[in-house]
Amino acid sequence: KPENKDALANILKYHVTPGNYSKEFLMKFKKLGQANNDYVNIEVVDGEPLIGGAKILASVPAGNGIVHVIDKVLLPPAKE
């Protein structure tokens, strides 16, 4: 619906990190800046990075970076 366009754009931009980061390189960060100007936390569990609590299922090289396929939808933090 047109009234949800901004909210959807915000959710989609929350899934985009400007840059070209391998799965291994992501483990060096505590958080990543997203395209919507929010941050997503990274933690390493059993040697694997979790991005906002999501597990990386696959990493696909693309023309403009790496697409990391994750196992859940990330939602930006609620604005107060």
Side-chain angles (χ1 to χ4, degrees):
K1 293 183 178 185
E3 61 269 20
N4 295 329
K5 184 177 178 182
D6 290 340
L8 178 58
N10 188 41
I11 291 169
L12 293 174
K13 288 178 183 178
Y14 191 64
H15 284 80
V16 176
T17 301
N20 189 0
Y21 304 116
S22 68
K23 183 176 169 182
E24 293 74 24
F25 193 68
L26 288 172
M27 291 193 284
K28 298 178 181 184
F29 293 93
K30 296 288 184 198
K31 64 181 180 177
L32 289 174
Q34 302 305 93
N36 72 342
N37 295 319
D38 277 320
Y39 290 90
V40 64
N41 292 323
I42 298 177
E43 61 181 318
V44 178
V45 176
D46 296 329
E48 296 290 323
L50 297 181
I51 313 301
K55 181 178 178 184
I56 296 176
L57 301 176
S59 298
V60 182
N64 61 348
I66 301 172
V67 176
H68 296 288
V69 180
I70 57 175
D71 67 351
K72 70 181 217 176
V73 175
L74 301 178
L75 296 175
K79 300 290 183 193
E80 294 182 18

